[in-house]
Amino acid sequence: MRMKVNGSVESLDVEPWVSLLDALRDRLGVTGPKKGCDQGACGACTVLVDGMRINACLALAVQYDGREITTIEGVAHPLQEAFVRHDGFQCGYCTPGQICSAIGMLAEYEAGMPSAVTESPGLDEAEIRERMSGNLCRCGAYNGIVDAIMDVTGR
């Protein structure tokens, strides 16, 4: 199988049961996405596939043949500096997944995809918190994460 990872076309021979996360980390040496819970509950493994966010621990690598995968290593986005400015990273373990998730979340919002709180007035704090709720931070940097996202969106 072949996939484009952070702009580079990669050929992989993986068994059908290998997760995308394990293929990225163990076969390609891409260590930004983390194995937190390995059950899709924490979001530390969040990557972008063709611009949409997914939990790589729940995805089988073979499903992504021919797709474009972007991990934190392939990201160049104002959110990275905003996370630093607003102390949205603390220990940093979840930060790669948080940033990839935020990029995907902003794209979903711009595409008009609703959330449970879309009745709120635009992309406010409640909307951001709801849309980012699948990404956990054990250090509790949630306020800084929300502030960073609000900063880059001009809100």
Side-chain angles (χ1 to χ4, degrees):
M1 68 173 276
R2 294 169 59 94
M3 62 177 70
K4 193 175 199 179
V5 179
N6 298 325
S8 177
V9 176
E10 302 287 348
S11 294
L12 290 168
D13 185 22
V14 295
E15 297 81 4
W17 56 83
V18 173
S19 72
L20 179 58
L21 178 62
D22 288 341
L24 290 169
R25 291 184 59 81
D26 300 339
R27 311 280 173 100
L28 296 176
V30 179
T31 58
K34 302 293 190 275
K35 188 177 281 195
C37 67
D38 209 21
Q39 299 174 3
C42 74
C45 65
T46 304
V47 299
L48 300 168
V49 176
D50 299 329
M52 297 186 66
R53 61 185 172 161
I54 66 158
N55 289 338
C57 73
L58 295 180
L60 296 174
V62 295
Q63 293 175 277
Y64 296 92
D65 187 23
R67 308 285 293 275
E68 185 167 346
I69 313 297
T70 304
T71 69
I72 193 66
E73 290 89 346
V75 167
H77 196 281
L79 273 168
Q80 293 162 298
E81 289 181 14
F83 264 64
V84 173
R85 271 194 313 278
H86 294 280
D87 197 24
F89 59 92
Q90 305 265 328
C91 83
Y93 192 83
C94 72
T95 306
Q98 294 277 1
I99 291 173
C100 285
S101 186
I103 293 168
M105 178 271 297
L106 291 172
E108 292 165 8
Y109 178 80
E110 293 301 322
M113 296 175 80
S115 80
V117 296
T118 299
E119 298 293 322
S120 67
L123 192 61
D124 63 2
E125 184 177 328
E127 184 78 22
I128 291 169
R129 286 185 185 279
E130 172 64 24
R131 289 176 181 267
M132 291 295 292
S133 64
N135 288 79
L136 302 179
C137 173
R138 291 183 177 137
C139 299
Y142 298 113
N143 292 335
I145 292 166
V146 171
D147 290 346
I149 295 168
M150 290 181 79
D151 182 2
V152 300
T153 61
R155 291 170 169 85

